[in-house]
Amino acid sequence: MSDTVHRTERWVGVSALAFGAAAFGAGFRLPAAFLLAVVGVGYATAARAGSAPDVEVALERTLDEDAPEPGDSVTVTLEVTNAGERTLPDLRVVDGVPRTLDVADGSPRLGTALPPGESATVEYDIEARRGEHAFEPVRIAARDWLGTTERETERLTHTELTCVPELEALASFPLRSQATDYAGRVTTDTAGSGVEFHSTRQYRRGDPIARIDWARVAKTGDMTTVDFREERAAETVVVLDTRADAHVADADNESAIDYGVAAGSAVASASLDTSNRVGLAAFGPRWEWISPGLGRTHRVRLREALALSPAMAPTRPPEQFRPLVAFRRLRERLPADAQVVFVSPLVDSYALTVARRLETRGYAVTLLSPDVTDTSTPGRALARLERRRRLTAARAVNIRVVDWDPGTALPVALERASRRWRQ
Amino acid sequence: MSDPDHRPATLSRTLALLAGVLAMLAAATNTFAVALAAGGFAALLLGAFKNTRRAVDTGAMALGGGVVVGAGSHAVAAIPLFGAVATVAAWDLAGHAIDVGEQLGRGADTRRLELVHAGAVAAVGLAAATAGFLLYRIAFRDVALSTLVFLLFASILLMAALRE
Amino acid sequence: MAVNPFRTALAALGVAVLALALASLAAPSLIPTVSEAFVVTGLGLVLALFGAVAVRRRYLASGERTAFGTPESRRSLPRPGTEVDRELAANRVGPETRVTPPDVALIERLKPVAVDVVSRALNCAPATATEKLDDGSWTDDPHAAAFFSGQRAAELRAGQDSFFGAVFDRGPTRADLARRAILELSRLDETPAAEANGDVSGAPDDAERASENSDGTPDGAADEPGTKPEPEASEQ
C-alpha cells in the first residue's frame, strides 16, 4: 500500500533560540547568554537527525460477540504489536470502524510507544445493527523520537460484524382481500368449501354430507349441495423499495431502508404466524426474490435475506437501475393473485408509479411507507408535502396506505390505518 | 456517538505549563526579563488551552527572549541553561498536546505516547544543556576577542547548515 | 533531508572555523587578533538577522499531519429534499422582472403541491385554489404570495423609506420567496382543516405525472418493451 510521509515542521524555528541567544550574547558581550545557543543547536541537530520510521506491526482484532442482536453493544479489541526490530517511539493508531456502525463507548484511537515485540491494545464498544459490516483498514501514523516526520500508512484487516435480527413480531398484518375474520384465510370467488355462501347446485354422488341443504330436503325432497366461497391461504409478497432514491435518512440518520426492512420483517413474521404464505422481493438495482412459502425453513430464509442480502444493504447501491427491466422481472415472478405489500419511503414519484402499476395489474397493493421527512429546511418541508400528496394519490386508486411515522410503533400505525380502510 | 473531544491532550499540556513556569523562574533576574517571560507564558497558556499553535509559538518566543535577557544577570550559568531547555520543552510539549488532541482526541489512551515524547524532549535538552555547561566551565574564563569572533563565525555557518 | 552541497560546504567551513576558535582558546598566541570590537557587534547583528529569518520560517510553516477522519460515527445519508435546498441556495437570482428557467421549474414543481394544500386547507375546489394562488389571496404573507402571483420582488422591499434601505435592500430573491411559500404551505398543511380533508383532493394523477425521474425523464412511460430506455442512474 502507499505510505505517505508528512513533514510536520514542528521543530522549524528552534534555531531562533540559538541565533537569538548568540546575537544577544555577542551584542552585549555576555558569554552566559551566548551559551544558551548551545541548547538551540542541540535541539536543531536532533530534530534534523529524525526520519520517519518503518512501520512493521502485527494486528489482531477480536469481537466479543459472534451473533449480536441489533442494539447490542459489541466490544472490539485490537492488539497492535511491534513486529520490527526498532522501537516505534510515536505510534498513533485509529481502528477502521465499519462506516455503517457507530462507536457507543470508548475510543477507537490510541497513542503509544512500542519497543520491539511489545503490544498495546485499543478497546471500544460498537452498537450492532442489521447486516454484515466489514471493518475498514486500520490507519496508522508513526513519528520519530522528536516528531519531525510522520509516516501515514494503512493495514488491511478482515473482520466482519454480522447481525441477523429475528423477524419482528407484529400482532397480525391485515391482509387486503380479507372479508372474514378468519386469520390466515382469504375468501375468493371460486365455489368450493368455505363459510360464505356462494351458490347451490344439484347433489352429486360424493358430495360431503355436511354440505347438503337438509332444510330443502325436508321441504321439497330435492337433494342439493351448497357451495361456499372457497377459501385459500393468502399469498403475500413484501416488495422493498431499494433504489438509490430510497436511500434517504431522517433526522436521526436512520435509513429508510432500515425502517423498510424492519416493517417488512414484521409483515413477514405476522403472515407466517397466521399461516399465510409470504415472499420477499427487492425492487432496486440489486435483485432479491423469495417465492411465497411457509414453515420454519422459509422463515429462516426470509430472516437471513432481510438481514444479509446485498439488496438490503444500508449503503447506496452504485449499480445502475433500469426501471422497466426491474418492473418486468418483478411481474414475471409475482404469483397472479398475490397481494403486494410495497414498502417505500415514497420520496420520489417513481415509487408511487410502481405501486399504482401493480394495483392496476390486479395485485392488491398495500403501501407501507416509513416517513423520513420533516420540516427542518424548506427543501425537506417540500419533500414532506410532496410525499403527502403521493399518499393521497395512492389512496385515490384504492391502494391501502400505511403512513408510518417511525416514532410510533408499527402496530399502532397499522391500527390507525386499518380504521381508515374500514370507513 | 457524538464527535470525539479534540481539545489538547491534558498530560502534555500540564507538563508544558510546568516547564513554562520553570523557564519563568530562570528568567527572574531583572524586571524586563521577567516581564517578557511572563508575557510569553501567558500567551503559551492561552494557546495551550484554546488550541492555537500561533499563540504557543509567540508565547514560547517571548518566554525564550526573557530567559536569554535574564541570562546575562545570572551568577550561575546552569540556571539559564536549564531555563532554555525548559522553554523549548514548554513550546514543544504544548504543540504536542495540540497535535495529539487533534489527531487522537481526549477519549483515546495516549499516556504512554505523551510520556515517552516528554522524556525524549527532556533528554535532548539535558544533553545539550550539559554540553553547554561543560563548555562554560572549560572555556569561558578569559575569552580573547578573536576567539569569540571565530566562535561566532563558526556558529553562524553551522547553524545556517543546520536549518531544520 | 535533502543533501545540499552548499550546505555541506557551509557545515565543513563552520567546523573548520570552530576548530580554529577552540584552538585559539588553547593557545591564544597562535591566532591574529581582530582589530575592532564592532566586528563582533556586526556579527551579532548578522546572527540577529538569521534569528529573524528563523522566526519568519516558523510563522510560515504549517506542516502536514495525517487526517484520521471520524470513524466514531457512521456515515450520514442524504435527507429527502436536499437537492431542493441546494437549488435554492444556488439560485441567487435577484429581484429581476424576468422569470428564469430555474424559477419556472421551481414553480412547476411547487404549483401542484400548493393547489393540493390550499384546496384542503381552505376547503375549496382545486380550480378555486389555483385562482387564489395566482392572485395571492391564499395567504397573508406577502412574500409567499408573491412567489406564485409573480409580483415583482422589487416592490416587496422592506426599507424603502430610508436612503440606505433603498440602496442596499434589493428585495428578496426568488429563492427567498420560494422558501417563504414552502414554509407557508407547510403551515397550512398542518392546520386541522387540511388534516380533516385528508383524502379529498383532485387530480391525483398530478402527483405522478408532474414529477420527474432523478435523471429528468418524465416517467409516465407505458410499460412496453422498446420504449426509450431510461436508465435511472443512481446519484454520486
Side-chain angles (χ1 to χ4, degrees):
Chain A
M1 53 224 89
S2 54
D3 287 359
T4 317
V5 176
H6 300 289
R7 306 188 64 78
T8 64
E9 306 198 317
R10 294 214 40 241
W11 286 94
V12 167
V14 74
S15 59
L17 171 67
F19 287 125
F24 187 78
F28 292 91
R29 314 286 192 280
L30 297 165
F34 193 87
L35 256 186
L36 301 190
V38 177
V39 172
V41 170
Y43 272 114
T45 320
R48 246 189 162 272
S51 64
D54 287 322
V55 178
E56 278 181 55
V57 289
L59 299 170
E60 198 184 304
R61 190 190 289 115
T62 47
L63 306 174
D64 77 338
E65 182 65 58
D66 250 343
E69 287 289 311
D72 282 355
S73 206
V74 177
T75 306
V76 182
T77 310
L78 178 74
E79 195 183 37
V80 183
T81 312
N82 185 352
E85 287 167 356
R86 316 196 60 177
T87 304
L88 289 166
D90 185 318
L91 190 66
R92 301 163 192 221
V93 179
V94 177
D95 199 4
V97 181
R99 274 186 258 168
T100 43
L101 295 177
D102 283 323
V103 169
D105 197 25
S107 174
R109 311 185 194 220
L110 170 73
T112 187
L114 290 179
E118 270 210 31
S119 325
T121 327
V122 190
E123 200 175 275
Y124 58 98
D125 290 342
I126 49 178
E127 188 186 321
R129 295 175 68 91
R130 167 191 75 89
E132 200 170 61
H133 309 274
F135 275 76
E136 300 284 318
V138 178
R139 307 198 55 203
I140 297 175
R143 295 186 180 185
D144 56 304
W145 283 97
L146 282 180
T148 47
T149 46
E150 181 176 283
R151 182 184 296 277
E152 174 185 349
T153 185
E154 276 183 358
R155 291 288 180 270
L156 293 173
T157 59
H158 300 284
T159 317
E160 275 165 2
L161 177 75
T162 307
C163 175
V164 182
E166 299 282 348
L167 290 184
E168 265 176 67
L170 194 65
S172 73
F173 188 78
L175 301 171
R176 250 189 79 163
S177 20
Q178 207 167 335
T180 69
D181 281 345
Y182 284 86
R185 307 199 73 79
V186 161
T187 53
T188 64
D189 287 331
T190 342
S193 62
V195 173
E196 239 181 82
F197 179 78
H198 184 270
S199 56
T200 56
R201 56 176 173 76
Q202 184 93 126
Y203 173 78
R204 288 199 290 267
R205 240 165 66 95
D207 281 342
I209 307 284
R211 284 185 17 208
I212 296 175
D213 188 356
W214 293 112
R216 192 177 250 204
V217 173
K219 232 190 214 163
T220 64
D222 292 331
M223 291 277 277
T224 52
T225 302
V226 182
D227 272 336
F228 296 93
R229 296 182 73 166
E230 190 169 75
E231 287 182 356
R232 256 187 323 99
E235 279 195 329
T236 311
V237 177
V238 175
V239 179
L240 293 171
D241 182 359
T242 57
R243 302 167 301 132
D245 282 322
H247 282 260
V248 285
D250 62 4
D252 299 322
N253 199 28
E254 292 288 343
S255 163
I257 302 294
D258 284 331
Y259 287 134
V261 167
S265 317
V267 171
S269 174
S271 299
L272 291 172
D273 288 344
T274 54
S275 305
N276 279 299
R277 300 157 64 84
V278 62
L280 179 69
F283 189 73
R286 295 178 181 167
W287 176 244
E288 180 68 51
W289 172 261
I290 297 179
S291 282
L294 274 178
R296 187 164 300 157
T297 328
H298 191 73
R299 182 183 279 262
V300 171
R301 266 187 84 194
L302 287 172
R303 182 182 159 205
E304 284 179 354
L306 282 163
L308 303 174
S309 166
M312 319 295 182
T315 49
R316 227 173 211 218
E319 295 92 356
Q320 208 181 48
F321 174 64
R322 300 184 185 284
L324 296 178
V325 170
F327 192 78
R328 202 174 309 132
R329 195 162 46 183
L330 180 65
R331 281 201 60 210
E332 279 165 16
R333 304 294 191 106
L334 279 175
D337 48 6
Q339 46 175 324
V340 169
V341 178
F342 186 56
V343 184
S344 169
L346 222 60
V347 289
D348 74 314
S349 57
Y350 189 64
L352 177 63
T353 308
V354 171
R356 288 179 60 159
R357 280 193 194 161
L358 288 172
E359 179 73 22
T360 51
R361 275 157 186 77
Y363 304 100
V365 176
T366 304
L367 179 58
L368 206 170
S369 179
D371 187 4
V372 293
T373 62
D374 61 36
T375 52
S376 51
T377 72
R380 291 174 200 154
L382 180 59
R384 168 170 267 217
L385 291 172
E386 287 178 333
R387 178 177 172 274
R388 291 229 182 142
R389 257 194 99 223
R390 292 184 194 116
L391 292 175
T392 310
R395 289 190 188 105
V397 290
N398 291 320
I399 295 175
R400 275 191 178 170
V401 169
V402 183
D403 181 6
W404 177 38
D405 172 7
T408 58
L410 188 53
V412 176
L414 273 180
E415 176 57 36
R416 283 196 201 134
S418 311
R419 255 183 270 140
R420 221 177 190 171
W421 301 333
R422 288 185 219 125
Q423 283 167 2
Chain B
M1 179 180 168
S2 53
D3 283 335
D5 185 357
H6 282 298
R7 288 178 300 165
T10 44
L11 179 60
S12 295
R13 189 180 64 189
T14 315
L15 291 172
L17 295 176
L18 218 64
V21 169
L22 290 175
M24 266 201 302
L25 290 174
T29 51
N30 67 61
T31 337
F32 179 65
V34 152
L36 191 58
F41 181 73
L44 192 82
L45 187 74
L46 189 76
F49 274 92
K50 290 286 187 185
N51 211 343
T52 322
R53 287 193 181 89
R54 280 278 171 275
V56 168
D57 289 344
T58 316
M61 232 166 293
L63 190 61
V67 170
V68 167
V69 168
S73 323
H74 258 295
V76 184
I79 294 177
L81 267 175
F82 290 108
V85 173
T87 307
V88 177
W91 173 57
D92 176 69
L93 287 171
H96 195 243
I98 294 175
D99 268 4
V100 168
E102 273 177 5
Q103 278 190 323
L104 300 176
R106 292 249 184 113
D109 178 14
T110 52
R111 247 171 326 129
R112 204 176 200 194
L113 174 69
E114 295 181 71
L115 283 173
V116 168
H117 181 91
V121 172
V124 172
L126 203 65
T130 314
F133 188 69
L134 287 174
L135 187 67
Y136 172 75
R137 295 292 239 134
I138 295 169
F140 278 66
R141 290 288 170 252
D142 288 306
V143 185
L145 189 62
S146 45
T147 314
L148 205 55
V149 167
F150 283 121
L151 266 175
L152 283 170
F153 196 40
S155 55
I156 294 172
L157 293 170
L158 278 172
M159 286 187 287
L162 272 178
R163 279 161 51 127
E164 34 0 67
Chain C
M1 328 178 250
V3 181
N4 191 338
F6 175 67
R7 279 198 182 189
T8 334
L10 214 56
L13 192 57
V15 169
V17 177
L18 182 64
L20 267 174
L22 291 172
S24 78
L25 278 172
S29 54
L30 288 174
I31 313 298
T33 53
V34 175
S35 48
E36 308 284 335
F38 71 67
V39 173
V40 174
T41 317
L43 279 170
L45 285 171
V46 172
L47 283 167
L49 186 70
F50 273 113
V53 167
V55 169
R56 180 174 167 274
R57 284 183 61 234
R58 171 75 251 169
Y59 279 108
L60 289 178
S62 50
E64 302 159 4
R65 283 146 183 79
T66 311
F68 284 117
T70 312
E72 286 85 353
S73 312
R74 62 198 157 94
R75 74 156 72 97
S76 53
L77 287 160
R79 306 278 298 275
T82 310
E83 74 284 356
V84 176
D85 283 324
R86 223 182 299 139
E87 239 178 68
L88 289 175
N91 182 7
R92 287 184 217 95
V93 176
E96 272 113 41
T97 52
R98 267 190 354 271
V99 176
T100 60
D103 286 341
V104 171
L106 206 56
I107 294 174
E108 271 186 14
R109 184 169 175 172
L110 266 137
K111 202 73 178 288
V113 176
V115 169
D116 177 60
V117 172
V118 169
S119 62
R120 281 190 292 117
L122 301 182
N123 208 1
C124 59
T128 325
T130 315
E131 276 171 29
K132 282 184 178 289
L133 283 166
D134 288 332
D135 67 28
S137 57
W138 61 283
T139 177
D140 291 330
D141 185 333
H143 286 205
F147 179 74
F148 292 108
S149 66
Q151 184 185 6
R152 290 175 55 172
E155 296 160 4
L156 296 162
R157 281 192 322 199
Q160 276 173 310
D161 304 335
S162 73
F163 172 72
F164 287 110
V167 171
F168 291 110
D169 181 9
R170 296 174 62 238
T173 62
R174 292 292 299 171
D176 291 332
L177 297 180
R179 285 193 198 98
R180 289 293 276 274
I182 293 173
L183 288 174
E184 184 61 19
L185 287 169
S186 274
R187 194 190 62 76
L188 277 176
D189 192 53
E190 307 277 342
T191 58
E195 306 258 315
N197 292 332
D199 292 331
V200 181
S201 67
D205 291 333
D206 282 343
E208 208 179 309
R209 233 176 274 136
S211 318
E212 296 177 345
N213 276 347
S214 51
D215 66 349
T217 58
D219 63 352
D223 190 19
E224 299 156 3
T227 38
K228 46 184 187 281
E230 17 176 70
E232 197 166 280
S234 338
E235 275 161 356
Q236 84 197 48

